[in-house]
């Protein structure tokens, strides 16, 4: 699944971040890149899982793509009054309103919430990860066999030879297809 529409949706529907939402290939890259001002968020792909092939006549599997929104917020109130853990709950609600139930690509279903987890905290930052998933189907049109069949030449003639054993009759039928 393409994650750029997710980033755009978060920038649009999560005003708390003031457009400070980026993308990264992985969690480590998000933390190593130049930090945006806080609060900020990074959308990262997590991976895909696939169900069993369910068709005996062609191809059909369910594919679940997973991505995360990693949020970094300020945790540095020296007076101890900054309730960063309470803020995580508010941010989760904003992210939910931006993403849950949304279908960013017609080939996929709606975005679903998977879970969230604490990642790291120091005296300056609290880092939290919100996980999401979205399902699609891999079907016959996505396979090599489908491409190979579509590259066959057009069928113009069908020839059928019939041998009847008991009477030694041999028949030949040819059908032209227009």
């Amino acid at each position: 699944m393409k994650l750029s529409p997710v980033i755009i949706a978060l920038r649009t529907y999560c005003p708390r971040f003031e457009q400070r939402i980026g993308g990264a290939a992985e969690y480590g890259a998000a933390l190593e890149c130049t930090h945006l001002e806080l609060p900020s968020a990074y959308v990262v792909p997590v991976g895909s899982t696939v169900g069993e092939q369910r068709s005996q006549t062609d191809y059909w599997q369910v594919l679940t793509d997973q991505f995360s929104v990693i949020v970094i917020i300020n945790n540095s109130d020296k007076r101890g009054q900054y309730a960063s853990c309470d803020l995580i709950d508010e941010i989760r609600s904003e992210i939910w309103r931006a993403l849950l139930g949304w279908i960013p690509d017609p080939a996929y279903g709606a975005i679903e919430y998977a879970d969230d987890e604490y990642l790291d905290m120091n005296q300056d930052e609290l880092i939290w990860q919100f996980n999401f998933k979205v399902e699609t189907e891999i079907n016959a049109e996505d396979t090599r066999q489908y491409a190979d069949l579509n590259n066959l030449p057009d069928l113009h003639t069908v020839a059928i030879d019939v041998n009847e054993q008991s009477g030694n009759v041999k028949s030949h039928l040819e059908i032209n297809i227009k």
Side-chain angles (χ1 to χ4, degrees):
M1 182 181 118
K2 295 177 183 174
L3 294 180
S4 54
V6 172
I7 294 168
I8 292 168
L10 291 169
R11 286 178 180 165
T12 303
Y13 294 102
C14 296
R16 174 183 318 272
F17 293 108
E18 298 176 359
Q19 304 287 318
R20 294 184 299 264
I21 299 172
E26 62 180 3
Y27 167 69
L31 297 181
E32 288 176 11
C33 68
T34 305
H35 277 310
L36 299 170
E37 288 184 41
L38 301 181
S40 61
Y42 298 88
V43 178
V44 298
V46 174
S48 300
T49 57
V50 66
E52 290 186 26
Q53 208 301 64
R54 294 182 176 186
S55 176
Q56 293 181 6
T57 57
D58 52 10
Y59 202 93
W60 179 47
Q61 280 183 293
V62 174
L63 172 74
T64 303
D65 282 339
Q66 300 149 6
F67 67 92
S68 294
V69 179
I70 299 172
V71 172
I72 305 171
I73 62 172
N74 187 328
N75 194 42
S76 65
D77 186 347
K78 304 302 181 208
R79 297 173 291 160
Q81 296 175 352
Y82 194 81
S84 56
C85 289
D86 289 345
L87 185 56
I88 287 295
D89 188 59
E90 295 172 19
I91 288 172
R92 178 176 57 200
S93 293
E94 270 189 31
I95 293 172
W96 282 359
R97 284 190 295 276
L99 300 179
L100 293 185
W102 176 46
I103 301 173
D105 184 325
Y108 286 83
I111 293 176
E112 298 176 33
Y113 183 66
D115 61 11
D116 62 79
E117 59 188 301
Y118 158 86
L119 291 182
D120 196 15
M121 182 172 65
N122 58 44
Q123 73 182 61
D124 295 321
E125 299 172 334
L126 172 63
I127 304 171
W128 207 273
Q129 179 171 316
F130 299 96
N131 301 309
F132 299 88
K133 64 183 181 176
V134 63
E135 289 185 353
T136 189
E137 291 181 354
I138 304 170
N139 56 44
E141 290 82 17
D142 298 314
T143 66
R144 170 63 184 264
Q145 180 184 22
Y146 182 82
D148 288 346
L149 290 174
N150 281 332
N151 287 325
L152 290 174
D154 291 338
L155 180 63
H156 296 287
T157 303
V158 175
I160 302 171
D161 288 324
V162 179
N163 289 324
E164 190 175 312
Q165 295 291 333
S166 62
N168 277 335
V169 176
K170 183 176 181 180
S171 299
H172 178 77
L173 173 66
E174 195 166 297
I175 302 170
N176 290 317
I177 302 170
K178 296 181 183 188

